[in-house]
């Protein structure tokens, strides 16, 4: 979906919204990240000190690190209060160094953007871009995205972006990949009518994983337009070179999303000879 297209919102009662969020929180999904401490350099610390009060969302703290308090709902009313307008919202899950979401916010002042990131340096970089460039339509939240999505109101977001998530390459760690059926249900709940979930990865095995989770999900339509060939069996760290000899099949994917800037991370993947896989799944 083009960034300037209209998308509606789904209206549900507050009781239904709270019941859905409570159900998702009870699932206790496997974490898709490992919390690491990292000292901010002087430049990033200054950015945090200067801009956090304005651009970093203050959310009620839950019992665990990076979790939001039970009973809190991130809905359209919260968006209007936090952003000061009623513009459509785009959420990036795992904003990394903030390059992409900051560029999108600068290019589309008519939209609101929310960057979700767990690591301090990534949050600080996003704050630096937001403050330096005066991106009043960008807010950052330092939260566990999987847990946070259980607090999202129905239809609150027009698009959700998950670009280059942690591939968790070891076979025994594939369950930690953020693209899972439970998270997909949360994404669908948060998307407005006709909204889309955009995903990108430079890991072939993760691309197969996305197809396995999403192509059979009745809540989404694969809106891709190109055909790619992928192995039909999974490989992990240590035997990825076996993928070429495995049986292959055709899958439907998307052209590169023009709204995603070429970040340093993506450049490294391309330099290493990896193929970028883009996906567009529309809320059915």
């Amino acid at each position: 979906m083009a960034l300037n297209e209209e998308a509606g919102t789904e209206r549900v009662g507050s009781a239904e919204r709270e019941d859905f969020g409570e159900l998702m929180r009870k699932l206790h999904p496997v974490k898709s990240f490992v919390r690491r401490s990292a000292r901010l350099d002087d430049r990033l610390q200054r950015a945090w000190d200067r801009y956090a009060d304005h651009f970093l969302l203050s959310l009620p703290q839950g019992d665990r690190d990076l979790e939001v308090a039970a009973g809190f709902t991130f809905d359209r009313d919260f968006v209007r209060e936090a952003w000061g307008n009623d513009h459509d919202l785009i959420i990036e899950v795992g904003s990394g160094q903030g390059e992409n979401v900051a560029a999108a916010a600068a290019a589309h002042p008519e939209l609101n953007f929310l960057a979700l990131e767990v690591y301090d340096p990534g949050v600080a970089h996003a704050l630096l871009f937001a403050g330096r460039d005066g991106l009043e339509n960008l807010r950052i939240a330092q939260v566990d995205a999987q847990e946070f999505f259980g607090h999202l109101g129905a239809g609150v977001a027009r698009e959700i972006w998950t670009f280059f998530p942690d591939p968790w390459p070891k076979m025994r760690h594939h369950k930690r990949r953020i693209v899972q059926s439970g998270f997909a249900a949360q994404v669908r709940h948060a998307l407005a009518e006709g909204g889309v979930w955009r995903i990108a990865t430079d890991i072939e095995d993760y691309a197969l994983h996305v197809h396995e989770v999403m192509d059979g999900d009745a809540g989404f339509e694969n809106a891709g337009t190109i055909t790619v060939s992928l192995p039909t069996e999974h490989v992990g760290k240590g035997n990825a070179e076996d993928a070429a000899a495995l049986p292959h099949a055709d899958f439907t994917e998307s052209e590169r999303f023009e709204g995603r800037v070429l970040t340093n991370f993506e450049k490294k993947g391309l330099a290493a000879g990896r193929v970028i896989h883009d996906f567009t799944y529309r809320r059915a």
Side-chain angles (χ1 to χ4, degrees):
M1 179 176 65
L3 287 177
N4 61 354
E5 289 178 359
E6 295 294 333
T9 58
E10 178 183 6
R11 298 182 181 275
V12 298
S14 59
E16 179 182 345
R17 191 167 57 235
E18 292 172 3
D19 288 345
F20 183 89
E22 185 63 21
L23 173 63
M24 290 297 102
R25 285 188 285 278
K26 286 180 179 178
L27 293 178
H28 293 297
V30 176
K31 298 294 186 185
S32 63
F33 63 93
V34 175
R35 184 81 159 132
R36 297 186 294 268
S37 60
R39 181 180 178 275
L40 299 180
D41 61 30
D42 291 343
R43 180 179 65 116
L44 292 180
Q45 187 62 59
R46 286 195 301 270
W48 193 298
D49 295 341
R50 183 174 182 181
Y51 300 123
D53 285 346
H54 186 68
F55 294 101
L56 188 63
L57 287 183
S58 178
L59 302 172
Q61 178 65 47
D63 295 333
R64 300 182 180 89
D65 186 32
L66 301 180
E67 291 188 352
V68 180
F72 169 75
T73 301
F74 185 102
D75 55 14
R76 293 301 305 178
D77 288 338
F78 184 89
V79 172
R80 279 188 286 270
E81 180 179 350
W83 275 263
N85 60 59
D86 199 27
H87 297 167
D88 286 343
L89 176 68
I90 293 176
I91 302 175
E92 182 170 31
V93 178
S95 56
Q97 299 300 302
E99 300 165 88
N100 181 71
V101 72
H108 295 279
E110 76 283 5
L111 296 172
N112 291 330
F113 291 85
L114 173 60
L116 305 182
E117 180 55 57
V118 296
Y119 302 119
D120 290 351
V123 173
H125 271 105
L127 290 171
L128 176 61
F129 292 139
R132 183 196 66 188
D133 299 334
L135 302 176
E136 292 298 328
N137 58 337
L138 173 60
R139 296 292 183 271
I140 301 101
Q142 190 172 28
V143 291
D144 173 358
Q146 291 172 291
E147 193 275 338
F148 178 69
F149 264 64
H151 295 271
L152 293 183
V156 71
R158 193 170 96 178
E159 294 192 6
I160 292 168
W161 298 347
T162 308
F163 297 145
F164 306 102
D166 192 326
W168 291 100
K170 294 182 179 179
M171 293 283 281
R172 68 177 184 272
H173 290 160
H174 286 185
K175 63 184 178 181
R176 291 184 176 271
R177 291 172 170 176
I178 195 169
V179 178
Q180 305 287 350
S181 58
F183 188 63
Q186 293 178 309
V187 169
R188 185 184 186 281
H189 175 79
L191 282 173
E193 187 78 20
V196 297
W197 186 11
R198 300 189 188 277
I199 306 170
T201 182
D202 61 351
I203 303 299
E204 186 177 67
D205 189 75
Y206 205 114
L208 175 63
H209 174 84
V210 171
H211 285 294
E212 290 178 338
V213 172
M214 297 298 298
D215 288 352
D217 191 321
F220 288 91
E221 170 197 357
N222 187 336
T225 58
I226 64 174
T227 300
V228 301
S229 179
L230 292 173
T232 55
E233 298 177 26
H234 283 285
V235 296
K237 190 174 183 178
N239 69 329
E241 66 278 1
D242 298 336
L246 293 173
H248 280 56
D250 289 341
F251 296 86
T252 301
E253 296 181 2
S254 294
E255 300 282 355
R256 188 184 189 281
F257 174 43
E258 62 181 12
R260 188 178 76 246
V261 300
L262 189 61
T263 64
N264 288 329
F265 183 89
E266 187 171 354
K267 289 177 184 177
K268 291 178 181 178
L270 292 170
R274 292 196 287 270
V275 175
I276 309 300
H277 298 265
D278 271 80
F279 308 85
T280 306
Y281 288 99
R282 190 178 307 280
R283 182 184 184 274

